[in-house]
Amino acid sequence: MDKVQYAGTFENAIRAFNSMYRLPVGKETWENTNEFAARPAQFQDILSEEIEESREILLGSDRLDHETALCDWLGDLMVYCASEAVKYDAFADLVFAPGRDVLDPLIAGLSEVAQKNAGQDLAMIIRVVDDHARRHLDETSTDPRHLPIAITEVAVAGFAALGRGFEDFDYWAILNIIMESNFSKLGADGKPIYDERGKVLKGPGYWKPEPMIKRYLSQLKRSA
């Protein structure tokens, strides 16, 4: 797998991932199947589960562990959205810049938190990203590209807010670690494992990305 460094290499990794796990790569490969009509509801259900994982990010007391879990959560949201976008030939529609409707009020809030309640910044990022993601889940849209596009911008805004606490923070480095981990999910027989909705499950050779994400963050210099 080419190292994920920008949108182009991320797309290549996602396409390779979809191909390896026998997921659609392009609309024409599956638009005439029964799954095509059912997929938007399935993806909404999968995203809902992923968003629920925000509840676990602040468990424990170590800040670096919390930052690691937040990066893993945001990265997973982006990977799921990118994989889904590729299925509809919509990767080019993804915007890898933070949604200003999320980032602007978040930065303003973080400035206030830093002055009055040190240590609550991560909780605010999680809460705001979670809230905006759920709003998009509740919206009614017939366009299957809507959720991947919208949630990607929300997740990037979360990364942008978190990255303000470090010098030279690069969320592409986080996505590279997560994609390398994703390629380790094959079953003992070398074949992919899925649930009934087509979500890829973890096999016995799977390794968690958190230790490598934590190592990456620990090597960064924190902003003054």
Side-chain angles (χ1 to χ4, degrees):
M1 186 192 85
D2 292 338
K3 184 177 180 180
V4 173
Q5 302 179 80
Y6 51 87
T9 53
F10 185 39
E11 179 179 10
N12 290 340
I14 290 293
R15 288 183 174 276
F17 175 82
N18 278 25
S19 295
M20 178 177 289
Y21 289 97
R22 301 172 191 169
L23 302 173
V25 180
K27 187 177 178 181
E28 67 178 12
T29 65
W30 69 303
E31 63 182 328
N32 295 318
T33 67
N34 292 332
E35 182 188 1
F36 190 82
R39 183 59 190 175
Q42 292 175 340
F43 183 60
Q44 187 174 31
D45 185 44
I46 290 171
L47 264 187
S48 180
E49 286 184 4
E50 290 300 310
I51 292 169
E52 280 293 327
E53 292 186 6
S54 67
R55 310 295 192 222
E56 303 176 4
I57 292 175
L58 294 180
L59 296 179
S61 59
D62 184 81
R63 180 179 176 84
L64 184 56
D65 283 342
H66 297 163
E67 292 166 336
T68 297
L70 177 54
C71 284
D72 185 53
W73 179 59
L74 294 172
D76 278 349
L77 289 177
M78 289 182 65
V79 167
Y80 274 113
C81 287
S83 175
E84 197 69 11
V86 162
K87 297 172 186 177
Y88 294 95
D89 297 312
F91 187 92
D93 296 323
L94 300 178
V95 178
F96 295 102
R100 302 307 310 187
D101 62 323
V102 184
L103 185 60
D104 289 346
L106 184 51
I107 289 177
L110 288 175
S111 297
E112 184 175 342
V113 164
Q115 295 174 9
K116 296 181 179 180
N117 299 292
Q120 295 301 309
D121 52 338
L122 297 183
M124 176 173 285
I125 295 172
I126 295 164
R127 184 169 63 252
V128 171
V129 170
D130 182 279
D131 178 64
H132 279 267
R134 290 179 189 277
R135 290 184 198 178
H136 288 300
L137 279 178
D138 291 340
E139 292 173 357
T140 301
S141 175
T142 58
D143 187 347
R145 301 173 303 166
H146 167 71
L147 277 178
I149 293 171
I151 301 298
T152 294
E153 289 193 43
V154 172
V156 174
F159 270 129
L162 175 64
R164 293 172 76 246
F166 299 90
E167 293 184 9
D168 301 320
F169 177 86
D170 183 6
Y171 71 78
W172 294 114
I174 304 297
L175 292 175
N176 184 64
I177 293 170
I178 291 173
M179 288 308 300
E180 288 183 344
S181 170
N182 282 338
F183 279 99
S184 73
K185 289 182 177 179
L186 291 172
D189 58 359
K191 297 180 180 179
I193 306 170
Y194 314 96
D195 68 9
E196 67 280 359
R197 302 160 304 171
K199 181 179 179 179
V200 174
L201 303 180
K202 302 174 180 66
Y206 170 73
W207 55 267
K208 293 182 178 181
E210 289 91 340
M212 289 186 65
I213 294 174
K214 186 174 183 178
R215 188 177 308 124
Y216 167 75
L217 294 177
S218 67
Q219 294 171 349
L220 297 179
K221 183 177 179 181
R222 293 190 179 268
S223 301

